[in-house]
Amino acid sequence: MYSPKGLTRTDYISLNINDTAAFARGTSQSLWRRWNQLSRFQRNLVYFSVITICLIILYFIPNDAKSSIIDKETNHDQLQNIEKHDKLIEELVVDNGDQGGGAGGGEVIEEPEFQPEVNQIDDDQIGPPQPKPNAMKFNGPQNERQRAVVGAFLHSWKGYKQYAWGHDNLKPISAGHHEWFGLGLTIIDGLDTAYLMGLNAEFAEGKKWVEESLTFGPSKDVNLFETTIRVLGGLLSAYHMSGEKIFFEKALDLGDRLMPAFSTRSGVPYSDVNIGTRTAHSPKWGPDSSTSEVTTIQLEFRDLGRISQQPKFEQAVARVSEHVHHLEKYDGLVPIFINANTGAFREFSTISFGARGDSYYEYLLKQWLQTGKTMDFLREDYITGIWGAEKHLVQYTAANKYLFLAELTGSQKDIKPKMDHLTCFLGGTLALGVHNGLPPEHMKFAEQLVRTCYQTYAIQPTFLAPEITYFNIQTPQSGDANQLDMFVKTNDAHNLLRPEFLESLFYMWYLTGNKTYQDWGWQIFQGFEKYTKVQHGYTSIGNVRNTQNTRPRDMMESFWLSETLKYLYLLFDDSRKLIDLEKWIFNSEGHILPVYDS
Ligand code: DMJ
């Protein structure tokens, strides 16, 4: 019997004679008796009726009321984010209007009405941003050189469209295709370049393919880094430039599917992930991930996290950067392999600003810029890394004092006097840093490195650089006055249509206004036109050292469209205003992402 604490027996008796309570109890007891007397069928009938009535009531509550009950706050944040992004685009459109000249110069951009959508929220996924009111507007080529580059893009696109559409790469000689991940890499890498060049029809073709044919299942094993910089970066860039929602939706789907790569003990991702089955693993060739790969995914995942309002993307990659920040380094320099499970660098692995090391340094600077110069540890690590490079890697040729960055190998950190073409990105990155207030002496470093990289092209009869160059640093005992500064081994004499040096020339031109950089780029473009252009596109070649025997490889890499031709087009932008470097940042594949305040 119920006996409330603190009440006397007398109190209880007086309550017990309350008629209402007795009636209520009596009524409920009799209802219960009647319920027990019902047959099973009758009880089921009652259950069914009650459920049906509830469902009818729910159905007639207005949708708006439902969604505001679900998540008022989330929608508010999301809209704020969209407004901020729109403002950025708006400012850029105004900047481009200043260019004048050419078709459509200074046109007024029409703004479609902003239609916020609600009711797109489920457990894990906040609805994507809405169709954007502003798209960036470009007027197409403004001079002969830009027109020539657009011609190269169209020739490449045409061959790809005809013989390799939807596949990763074009084989421009045999008129076939090459598959790597099966993600239509050339389309996605080419989208924002087409947009930048004002090629609306080509952009629309690519968009249609993304809408109708780009799928990520059922089982696709991909490299996390390559897929992030090319596909995720390409989709995000296309979204920011065109405002077309489909690119955001695909990027969000892909980002989600790449996330299992981060499920390691250390948080350092595995190199490979199956985006269909959502499982991740180390590369087939060994237990470790490449240092540059795990540290060159941050710009893209951060951007995706910001525009989707899903912090998990940014958190995953920020954790990697913080982890690497805390690892012991060699005066800021990092070994090129890192283990995803232990989170430790592989002992005695090579130190290099070339393959597997390069973009670690690039993304330190660019992440700092992307986050409005608020993440100090990235800036510090970048400055320390450059200082380490000057101290340990910078070498000069004996004959003409050409500066280059050597590699350090083995436990003794022996100097290997070779430099990958990949290292030629660094001149542009250094210049970008100086432009943003980093040590002015970095500019001297940039100029010297750019001079050397130019030589790697200029000394070849094809005017195209090899993949790897070796340098003479010893003064010959014989006192040979004709000693060469650099030489190329047979196996390193290929040119894959790579962009790094043109990327640097673009930054040097944009940030200094020195036309020599444009002229150098034009000379190189002539080399590509003469020795890599074939019937259905442009091909990588096996030998830059002999114009009569270039050994075409029948392969057009997707970065030819996303980077090489884009940087050439921007290098020949006489206004130096097409892309505002205060507001946009280029990812490692040449895709364009917005700079945030923090
Ligand atoms: C591109 O995919 C990217 O630039 C990457 O960072 C390095 N390699 C190629 C181009 O050479």
Side-chain angles (χ1 to χ4, degrees):
M1 275 191 122
Y2 175 58
S3 176
K5 211 175 167 189
L7 295 184
T8 63
R9 187 96 187 136
T10 317
D11 294 331
Y12 174 72
I13 289 165
S14 70
L15 281 170
N16 199 27
I17 58 170
N18 184 310
D19 286 349
T20 314
F23 173 77
R25 194 178 309 112
T27 308
S28 71
Q29 276 169 1
S30 93
L31 274 176
W32 182 244
R33 246 196 322 275
R34 282 186 198 179
W35 173 257
N36 285 333
Q37 283 163 0
L38 292 178
S39 69
R40 176 178 285 195
F41 174 74
Q42 287 169 318
R43 280 191 229 160
N44 282 343
L45 208 62
V46 175
Y47 286 142
F48 179 76
S49 312
V50 170
I51 289 169
T52 309
I53 289 165
C54 287
L55 285 176
I56 290 170
I57 292 170
L58 259 180
Y59 181 79
F60 281 105
I61 293 179
N63 272 343
D64 286 356
K66 260 186 268 176
S67 66
S68 71
I69 293 165
I70 293 171
D71 202 340
K72 240 182 194 167
E73 211 167 306
T74 309
N75 282 330
H76 172 73
D77 287 353
Q78 202 179 340
L79 287 174
Q80 268 192 340
N81 194 47
I82 294 163
E83 277 164 17
K84 195 172 154 198
H85 181 270
D86 292 347
K87 202 165 152 255
L88 188 68
I89 300 266
E90 222 167 81
E91 284 166 8
L92 195 127
V93 169
V94 171
D95 285 353
N96 283 332
D98 287 342
Q99 273 175 192
E107 263 179 38
V108 178
I109 312 295
E110 277 192 37
E111 293 189 12
E113 214 182 322
F114 180 61
Q115 298 284 353
E117 274 179 15
V118 283
N119 301 333
Q120 300 223 3
I121 298 155
D122 64 31
D123 286 350
D124 187 39
Q125 202 164 302
I126 298 168
Q130 310 316 310
K132 303 201 54 54
N134 292 315
M136 288 161 80
K137 172 92 179 157
F138 296 102
N139 302 321
Q142 303 292 307
N143 57 47
E144 276 315 303
R145 288 180 176 184
Q146 281 196 321
R147 270 187 277 281
V149 177
V150 171
F153 183 95
L154 286 172
H155 180 65
S156 309
W157 187 266
K158 187 171 167 234
Y160 172 77
K161 190 177 156 191
Q162 202 167 352
Y163 301 109
W165 190 248
H167 297 287
D168 286 336
N169 299 313
L170 167 70
K171 288 165 87 65
I173 297 172
S174 58
H177 67 263
H178 165 258
E179 213 67 286
W180 191 8
F181 306 136
L183 290 172
L185 292 182
T186 299
I187 297 177
I188 301 179
D189 254 355
L191 275 170
D192 61 358
T193 305
Y195 196 89
L196 178 73
M197 292 176 170
L199 298 173
N200 299 334
E202 287 68 22
F203 180 80
E205 285 166 358
K207 182 189 157 204
K208 188 163 183 280
W209 181 83
V210 169
E211 251 161 3
E212 294 173 0
S213 308
L214 177 61
T215 56
F216 303 123
S219 174
K220 269 188 185 144
D221 223 27
V222 304
N223 173 282
L224 171 69
F225 156 76
E226 296 289 0
T227 306
T228 299
I229 64 167
R230 296 182 198 224
V231 187
L232 189 55
L235 291 169
L236 289 169
S237 182
Y239 169 67
H240 287 296
M241 286 180 127
S242 70
E244 299 283 0
K245 192 173 145 194
I246 182 68
F247 298 121
F248 169 79
E249 289 168 348
K250 292 287 178 181
L252 187 57
D253 185 13
L254 176 61
D256 240 5
R257 291 164 181 272
L258 291 170
M259 285 300 278
F262 297 93
S263 304
T264 62
R265 268 182 280 139
S266 67
V268 171
Y270 286 123
S271 71
D272 291 19
V273 53
N274 189 310
I275 53 176
T277 61
R278 298 178 195 244
T279 51
H281 57 90
S282 317
K284 292 190 184 81
W285 42 264
D288 298 331
S289 302
S290 302
T291 304
S292 68
E293 292 195 358
V294 302
T295 53
T296 310
I297 48 180
Q298 280 70 14
L299 295 181
E300 300 80 0
F301 275 86
R302 175 173 293 109
D303 188 62
L304 180 62
R306 301 280 174 109
I307 60 177
S308 67
Q309 286 285 293
Q310 292 192 46
K312 67 179 181 188
F313 295 116
E314 182 167 357
Q315 280 162 1
V317 290
R319 189 175 164 211
V320 183
S321 289
E322 278 152 25
H323 174 87
V324 174
H325 167 65
H326 287 111
L327 292 179
E328 195 182 337
K329 307 183 186 64
Y330 183 58
D331 285 336
L333 303 175
V334 292
I336 61 171
F337 288 110
I338 187 166
N339 188 281
N341 282 317
T342 65
F345 287 129
R346 188 197 292 177
E347 215 179 358
F348 309 137
S349 57
T350 299
I351 288 175
S352 169
F353 267 65
R356 306 187 192 286
D358 49 5
S359 44
Y360 159 72
Y361 306 95
E362 176 190 354
Y363 269 35
L364 288 175
L365 177 73
K366 289 184 175 175
Q367 280 198 76
W368 178 65
L369 295 177
Q370 182 193 34
T371 52
K373 304 183 184 175
T374 56
M375 295 175 72
D376 285 344
F377 82 88
L378 295 165
R379 175 184 177 277
E380 298 314 319
D381 284 359
Y382 173 76
I383 292 177
T384 312
I386 298 304
W387 170 73
E390 286 174 313
K391 186 171 171 192
H392 300 290
L393 307 183
V394 165
Q395 301 284 322
Y396 294 87
T397 61
N400 287 302
K401 307 289 173 244
Y402 283 115
L403 176 150
F404 68 97
L405 277 84
E407 294 181 353
L408 302 181
T409 59
S411 60
Q412 298 304 308
K413 300 200 169 31
D414 298 321
I415 289 208
K416 198 168 179 187
K418 63 158 272 226
M419 187 169 83
D420 294 348
H421 180 272
L422 291 168
T423 305
C424 289
F425 82 94
L426 186 62
T429 301
L430 287 167
L432 184 63
V434 173
H435 177 73
N436 283 283
L438 298 190
E441 52 276 19
H442 286 188
M443 200 62 188
K444 183 93 187 124
F445 186 0
E447 283 162 3
Q448 287 186 283
L449 180 61
V450 165
R451 172 176 171 258
T452 307
C453 288
Y454 175 69
Q455 279 304 309
T456 64
Y457 283 78
I459 62 169
Q460 301 301 338
T462 52
F463 224 98
L464 294 174
E467 180 74 357
I468 298 169
T469 301
Y470 280 79
F471 297 85
N472 278 319
I473 50 178
Q474 309 282 2
T475 312
Q477 287 186 345
S478 61
D480 177 5
N482 297 320
Q483 177 176 271
L484 296 176
D485 289 292
M486 39 193 106
F487 61 96
V488 179
K489 297 185 178 178
T490 307
N491 284 343
D492 303 331
H494 47 290
N495 181 297
L496 304 183
L497 311 173
R498 283 199 193 277
E500 288 75 18
F501 182 52
L502 293 164
E503 171 185 352
S504 280
L505 289 180
F506 149 68
Y507 283 110
M508 296 302 277
W509 160 243
Y510 251 51
L511 299 174
T512 69
N514 182 342
K515 284 184 185 299
T516 302
Y517 299 122
Q518 287 189 307
D519 295 340
W520 286 358
W522 183 245
Q523 287 176 306
I524 293 168
F525 180 64
Q526 300 311 308
F528 282 127
E529 285 291 284
K530 209 158 169 197
Y531 299 107
T532 70
K533 187 172 182 180
V534 291
Q535 195 184 353
H536 304 303
Y538 289 77
T539 179
S540 53
I541 56 174
N543 183 20
V544 296
R545 299 182 302 176
N546 185 344
T547 57
Q548 302 308 307
N549 180 25
T550 55
R551 297 204 295 271
R553 289 182 155 196
D554 194 18
M555 175 64 72
M556 189 176 84
E557 300 279 352
S558 68
F559 51 70
W560 167 248
L561 300 189
S562 67
E563 291 192 83
T564 313
L565 293 178
K566 184 186 284 135
Y567 287 128
L568 275 164
Y569 186 78
L570 290 169
L571 175 63
F572 302 139
D573 162 29
D574 293 321
S575 74
R576 295 189 286 144
K577 281 185 178 163
L578 211 47
I579 295 293
D580 185 344
L581 294 179
E582 312 302 321
K583 298 190 173 104
W584 301 92
I585 194 94
F586 288 82
N587 88 338
S588 199
E589 188 77 0
H591 297 305
I592 301 167
L593 303 173
V595 167
Y596 292 95
D597 291 339
S598 61

